[in-house]
Amino acid sequence: MRFGLLGTGPWAELAHGPALRAHPDVELAGVWGRRPEAAADIAERFGGRPYDDVDALIADCDAVAVALPPDIQAPLAVRAAKAGRHLLLDKPPATTVAGAREIADAVEAAGVASVVFFTLRFRPETAAWIEEQRETGGWQLGRADWLGGIFGEGAEHSPFAASPWRREKGGLWDVGPHALSVLLPVLGDVADLDGSVAAVSGAGEVVQLALRHASGASSTCALGLAVAPAASVTRVELRGASGAVTLPEGETDAVAALGHAVDALLASARTGEPHPCDIRFGVRVTEILAAAEARLAG
């Protein structure tokens, strides 16, 4: 499958470029970005050729892999889907419900495949753990702590520290999708957006999110990007009839995980079967985060 890579930032350089180049069933057709010199550099390193016109690249490929801020990603994803191209999107697909739903509508109308890259869902160890806990069932409480220090005082330089959208939207929108991607498949959908979502913010720009799930379980998430480096943590815990379990720790190889996401998109395009992390799931995550944002604002 011929892929066009949209985006030239750190995520395109560190994950998308290497993953697309390494995949045996993928050809990188070209690269487009808002900085033509960066597109030329990434194309030279990972394959394909640079494009000045995004629509020309969309016309020359079968699928697009998007490594762009969500609200730039969303309208380009709509254009690609309307052109009949499969979509490998980054999380969140958009930071507005309308933007995410517009992608979903375009995907449905065109009959193309979609996968949203929630990194841990494509880590084999995490995927197996989620499935095991889903089958076990009986969980009453979930807790996810996703606290990073890329904007924290004394933090070591991160390639994502220069990301304007992360600075503006914070942990709710950047790491919140990761937390929901683990909790929702185990505990079930949020019961309703009006009465089952609560959120408060506190020191270190940390957002505390509380959810009631349709299964009857409840969950909490601590989400932040500006905590002290020593306080950074990624942890998920479940409690219920079977006791308590914790998501296995371990480094996530983003390139390998993205390779698995490409596998998922290829399979969905071939079979017509939607992947659990398709745009419809991406829309639901966006709806929950938007409801939380509204609670914070009002």
Side-chain angles (χ1 to χ4, degrees):
M1 184 177 288
R2 287 171 54 83
F3 271 77
L5 174 56
L6 309 186
T8 56
W11 201 228
E13 180 180 2
L14 297 173
H16 282 75
L20 293 171
R21 179 182 62 181
H23 200 287
D25 298 320
V26 163
E27 176 187 348
L28 182 55
V31 182
W32 172 88
R34 293 170 291 169
R35 296 176 296 133
E37 68 282 1
D41 177 64
I42 289 180
E44 181 179 359
R45 293 169 59 189
F46 300 115
R49 66 180 180 88
Y51 281 72
D52 294 328
D53 183 343
V54 66
D55 291 304
L57 175 54
I58 290 171
D60 287 348
C61 64
D62 307 306
V64 296
V66 187
L68 289 164
D71 292 330
I72 296 172
Q73 167 176 252
L76 292 176
V78 170
R79 284 158 69 175
K82 287 182 176 180
R85 306 306 181 242
H86 306 295
L87 303 180
L88 177 58
L89 305 174
D90 203 7
K91 59 75 199 165
T95 60
T96 66
V97 173
R101 288 177 178 170
E102 190 175 2
I103 303 172
D105 290 344
V107 165
E108 182 177 1
V112 297
S114 63
V115 166
V116 181
F117 183 49
F118 298 92
T119 311
L120 287 186
R121 288 292 294 273
F122 296 95
R123 177 177 179 255
E125 297 87 346
T126 304
W129 184 85
I130 289 173
E131 182 59 23
E132 180 183 354
Q133 309 321 317
R134 188 189 67 78
E135 292 180 356
T136 299
W139 303 110
Q140 299 166 322
L141 179 66
R143 174 183 173 183
D145 297 326
W146 234 281
L147 300 172
I150 64 172
F151 299 134
E153 184 176 350
E156 296 183 5
H157 175 73
S158 164
F160 304 106
S163 169
W165 85 266
R166 287 181 174 85
R167 177 71 71 175
E168 176 189 357
K169 290 296 188 178
L172 178 67
W173 285 98
D174 185 30
V175 295
H178 291 307
L180 293 178
S181 77
V182 175
L183 292 173
L184 293 179
V186 177
L187 302 180
D189 194 11
V190 169
D192 69 272
L193 296 178
D194 290 331
S196 298
V197 179
V200 295
S201 60
E205 301 178 25
V206 172
V207 171
Q208 294 276 357
L209 181 63
L211 305 171
R212 183 171 66 246
H213 298 264
S215 65
S218 63
S219 66
T220 60
C221 305
L223 311 169
L225 298 177
V227 302
S232 297
V233 64
T234 300
R235 179 175 57 212
V236 179
E237 181 182 88
L238 302 171
R239 292 183 177 270
S242 301
V245 295
T246 303
L247 179 71
E249 296 183 0
E251 292 294 324
T252 299
D253 183 336
V255 174
L258 192 54
H260 294 306
V262 172
D263 290 336
L265 185 68
L266 295 175
S268 183
R270 183 179 65 252
T271 65
E273 293 295 323
H275 188 272
C277 290
D278 68 357
I279 185 57
R280 291 177 298 179
F281 182 72
V283 168
R284 190 54 175 168
V285 167
T286 304
E287 290 171 342
I288 295 168
L289 295 176
E293 187 175 60
R295 303 295 181 274
L296 293 173

